[in-house]
Amino acid sequence: EADIYQTPRYLVIGTGKKITLECSQTMGHDKMYWYQQDPGMELHLIHYSYGVNSTEKGDLSSESTVSRIRTEHFPLTLESARPSHTSQYLCASSESKGQEKTYEQYFGPGTRLTVT
Amino acid sequence: KNQVEQSPQSLIILEGKNCTLQCNYTVSPFSNLRWYKQDTGRGPVSLTIMTFSENTKSNGRYTATLDADTKQSSLHITASQLSDSASYICVVSDRGSTLGRLYFGRGTQLTVWP
């Protein structure tokens, strides 16, 4: 069982509200990721971090922002939620092993966000 | 364009039966291929990971195969159990970036009936 946690697990919120999705891991991993997943669709990388004070945008354009002030914590923020942000958000972490990059990515349980 | 295609999209089998899920990919340059199991409402959990030099890898009742020449992989589940009902996702990593970018398939939704 991976030691990576996400809160809240479910969130229903009105349009225009600011929200922060929390993600924490206790494995000391340097790399962390945020993915967005719609039902029946593939995961899309929206943000990632190589370590403290490092954040990068992923493949899928997202209006969300992230921060990495501590190794174990990688929160995602939406300044003004819209119905188009309704989705499942998955956090993951990993460490690199050797030159083959066969690092294992451990996923949190996800946050199901609904914006009304 | 780097892509991962899985088939079938969904599958229903009876408890105790075997099944095989397929994955074709075009990701290049290839680094490794993983199979994940994702229960409804949960995050994916890794089953196997294979590099270019590995043809097969097992994890209990799960056996994955890889043909890097044809860019195909399969996941074979033996003696299925009700708890095997989940989405099985094929994920391919490239070696062209420091991050080792992951490309996800849409998954095969497996339902095991008693």
Side-chain angles (χ1 to χ4, degrees), chain B residues 16-35:
Chain B
K17 298 296 186 182
N18 304 334
C19 67
T20 300
L21 314 180
Q22 301 291 341
C23 174
N24 296 329
Y25 63 92
T26 59
V27 177
S28 180
F30 174 85
S31 176
N32 57 76
L33 184 145
R34 311 133 187 262
W35 283 93

Side-chain angles (χ1 to χ4, degrees), chain A residues 4 6 23 25 27 29 31-35 43 45 47-49 68 74 89-94 104-108, chain B residues 36 44 102 104:
Chain A
I4 180 164
Q6 291 185 243
C23 175
Q25 51 96 6
M27 297 172 282
H29 288 166
K31 294 183 177 64
M32 295 190 73
Y33 316 80
W34 275 103
Y35 293 91
L43 278 73
L45 181 68
H47 297 284
Y48 60 96
S49 168
R68 189 85 182 277
F74 191 40
Y89 294 84
L90 290 160
C91 180
S93 72
S94 73
E104 189 65 78
Q105 276 201 22
Y106 297 93
F107 286 84
Chain B
Y36 282 89
L102 298 184
F104 290 79

Side-chain angles (χ1 to χ4, degrees), chain A:
Chain A
E1 190 80 14
D3 295 323
I4 180 164
Y5 310 97
Q6 291 185 243
T7 57
R9 291 293 315 281
Y10 304 92
L11 179 61
V12 180
I13 200 164
T15 298
K17 300 292 185 182
K18 177 181 179 179
I19 60 170
T20 296
L21 308 185
E22 302 288 349
C23 175
S24 295
Q25 51 96 6
T26 59
M27 297 172 282
H29 288 166
D30 50 358
K31 294 183 177 64
M32 295 190 73
Y33 316 80
W34 275 103
Y35 293 91
Q36 186 173 340
Q37 183 183 32
D38 292 321
M41 302 296 287
E42 63 267 46
L43 278 73
H44 290 285
L45 181 68
I46 52 174
H47 297 284
Y48 60 96
S49 168
Y50 288 112
V52 172
N53 294 326
S54 155
T55 61
E56 302 286 345
K57 289 190 178 294
D59 303 317
L60 184 67
S61 175
S62 174
E63 295 167 346
S64 58
T65 59
V66 293
S67 62
R68 189 85 182 277
I69 299 174
R70 304 197 314 265
T71 298
E72 63 272 19
H73 197 212
F74 191 40
L76 181 146
T77 299
L78 275 167
E79 290 292 333
S80 180
R82 294 207 299 268
S84 61
H85 296 140
T86 295
S87 188
Q88 168 136 340
Y89 294 84
L90 290 160
C91 180
S93 72
S94 73
E95 59 178 0
S96 297
K97 291 181 179 179
Q99 297 182 354
E100 285 296 322
K101 300 190 185 71
T102 54
Y103 53 87
E104 189 65 78
Q105 276 201 22
Y106 297 93
F107 286 84
T111 293
R112 170 67 65 184
L113 173 65
T114 302
V115 183
T116 61

Side-chain angles (χ1 to χ4, degrees), chain B residues 10-109:
Chain B
S10 62
L11 180 63
I12 299 174
I13 62 173
L14 295 177
E15 186 178 14
K17 298 296 186 182
N18 304 334
C19 67
T20 300
L21 314 180
Q22 301 291 341
C23 174
N24 296 329
Y25 63 92
T26 59
V27 177
S28 180
F30 174 85
S31 176
N32 57 76
L33 184 145
R34 311 133 187 262
W35 283 93
Y36 282 89
K37 177 186 179 186
Q38 185 176 23
D39 292 313
T40 301
R42 308 289 296 181
V45 175
S46 178
L47 296 175
T48 65
I49 179 169
M50 291 181 291
T51 60
F52 183 89
S53 58
E54 295 174 295
N55 301 119
T56 185
K57 183 164 282 189
S58 293
N59 178 2
R61 295 180 296 102
Y62 302 102
T63 299
T65 64
L66 173 64
D67 186 335
D69 292 331
T70 61
K71 298 186 177 181
Q72 295 179 327
S73 176
S74 66
L75 180 69
H76 186 75
I77 304 175
T78 303
S80 61
Q81 301 176 358
L82 298 179
S83 59
D84 291 333
S85 294
S87 178
Y88 290 84
I89 304 173
C90 177
V91 186
V92 181
S93 175
D94 74 13
R95 61 166 70 230
S97 66
T98 305
L99 182 65
R101 186 64 53 84
L102 298 184
Y103 296 88
F104 290 79
R106 293 186 177 184
T108 292
Q109 184 64 48

